[in-house]
Amino acid sequence: MKDNYIARRQKLMEGKPAPSMICIFSGHAPMRSLDESYPFTVDRNFYYLTGIDRENMILVLRKTLSGDVVESLYIEPYDEFWAKWVGGRMKAEEATAISGIQGIRDVGDFEGDFARIMEGSRGLGKYHVYLDLWRYQADQADTPAHTLAAKIQSRYPAVEIDEIFGDLAALRVAKEDCEIEEMKKAQEATRVAIEAMMHHAYPGINESELEGAFDFALMKQGVREHAFPSIVAGGGRATTLHYGENNQPVEDGQLVQIDLGAAVGHYCADISRAFPVNGKFTERQKELYNTVLEAQKIVMEAAKPGLTTRDLNQLVVDYYESRLDDLGLRVDGKTVHDYYYHSVSHNLGLDTHDISTERERVLQPGSVITVEPGLYVEAEAIGIRIENDILITEDGCIDLSAAIPKTVEEIEAIMAK
């Protein structure tokens, strides 16, 4: 893996002007209350470039005026006292062994080193500093990159601040073989846990117990990481896309909609299934379920390089439009969009909704995307979403989730055991 991280950093630096610098922060867990902090999760771009899953680190890639590339990794110094309390911090030789970076520095030296580089760049032309400044929401808290950008603007106004998000998205969109292997492991762990959940289901069970059955089955496999908080929604609650309470009983005759996944090495699985809590689909549930299943089949047969996720989504809309009358859903002026109100695909990888830009939404070999058509009939208290994860190949796709049961017959057979 070390060679992969080295190659990724080299590729990221290609075409960058001299002199310039890229700074990527691993992140830091915010405090929750008193002496408790929230669980730490590493910045995925930092992890992608270093393979290191530790907080309070900084990756610095510099291109000198002569065009040489200098790599530095700033880490917390090893502390014997804290090692007794919370475990040892990573030592320099460990960081080098994982990442391949030879220049290991104390994170406390970063500001001084940065200032010296900025002062030493005077008269050498425009200096470029690349930072990941992307925000999901305009009012979200500043990241360390935003804080550094503000300091640069204040102290070194002649320095050019550039966004690195697009370059990272372009690198991450096509998965390497080692990444696909981790994603396959996440798929298998998820399959085992979903089947355990189905075995455990019975009329009247609480959604939280079902969620617990899934979690326990993952932990039995040595998997502690989830791709995202699990959705376990019974009956009409499944018509809320991101239902998250998971604390209500599921009554006899109702479907359970699940949307969940394991993560292995931070690489995610994202799977949705709907199953009858009593083990048997009603005829109406079968009718709607098989409609969604057919929509997924249409998308998976069509998916190939050159198409966009928007193209794939239109296939679902067109198919649903052809079925609306047969399903008895064209009532009270309702259209497809009253029963299907999300898109069919998103990128998948180190993040569940993996990094992408509009440019990367054109499918290319190595892309991994979800295929998740759904139908949500609130009047009948039925919500159904079936989601598999596929790898785009040169001429089509491979279903990474093929082993996870999804037909009516497969699900009923598992639940009958």
Side-chain angles (χ1 to χ4, degrees), residues 277-351:
V277 74
N278 63 9
K280 280 288 186 179
F281 288 87
T282 67
E283 290 305 310
R284 177 57 168 171
Q285 288 168 351
K286 283 184 189 178
E287 184 179 37
L288 294 173
Y289 188 93
N290 285 329
T291 299
V292 177
L293 195 60
E294 181 64 21
Q296 188 189 63
K297 178 182 176 184
I298 289 169
V299 171
M300 291 171 66
E301 289 177 346
K304 63 181 181 180
L307 295 179
T308 67
T309 53
R310 187 173 299 167
D311 296 330
L312 299 182
N313 193 61
Q314 191 59 47
L315 294 174
V316 178
V317 173
D318 292 344
Y319 173 66
Y320 283 168
E321 178 63 33
S322 73
R323 293 282 292 133
L324 221 56
D325 289 312
D326 293 339
L327 295 172
L329 296 178
R330 202 185 301 276
V331 295
D332 301 326
K334 292 186 180 297
T335 69
V336 169
H337 299 292
D338 290 298
Y339 304 105
Y340 171 62
Y341 28 83
H342 57 83
S343 184
V344 75
S345 294
H346 59 75
N347 284 33
L348 185 71
L350 282 171
D351 289 295

Side-chain angles (χ1 to χ4, degrees), residues 169 172-175 183 270 309 345-349 351-357 360-364 367-370:
R172 283 176 53 181
V173 68
K175 304 299 186 285
M183 297 184 80
D270 186 0
T309 53
S345 294
H346 59 75
N347 284 33
L348 185 71
D351 289 295
T352 305
H353 294 99
D354 210 35
I355 187 170
S356 66
T357 66
E360 277 74 50
R361 291 184 191 277
V362 177
L363 303 183
Q364 58 179 281
S367 303
V368 177
I369 63 170
T370 62

Side-chain angles (χ1 to χ4, degrees), residues 9-10 15 34 42 90 114 129 213 231 234 251 282 303 384:
R9 296 193 299 269
Q10 290 173 344
L34 295 179
V42 69
M90 183 172 285
F114 187 88
V129 176
I231 295 170
E251 303 302 337
T282 67
I384 297 169

Side-chain angles (χ1 to χ4, degrees), residues 342-411:
H342 57 83
S343 184
V344 75
S345 294
H346 59 75
N347 284 33
L348 185 71
L350 282 171
D351 289 295
T352 305
H353 294 99
D354 210 35
I355 187 170
S356 66
T357 66
E358 284 302 316
R359 182 175 67 250
E360 277 74 50
R361 291 184 191 277
V362 177
L363 303 183
Q364 58 179 281
S367 303
V368 177
I369 63 170
T370 62
V371 181
E372 49 180 310
L375 274 178
Y376 310 95
V377 187
E378 189 174 0
E380 300 179 44
I382 295 176
I384 297 169
R385 183 166 60 258
I386 306 172
E387 180 177 17
N388 281 34
D389 306 326
I390 64 172
L391 168 65
I392 303 299
T393 62
E394 294 290 342
D395 56 2
C397 71
I398 295 172
D399 183 4
L400 300 177
S401 315
I404 302 176
K406 69 176 180 179
T407 67
V408 167
E409 294 75 19
E410 288 170 339
I411 291 171

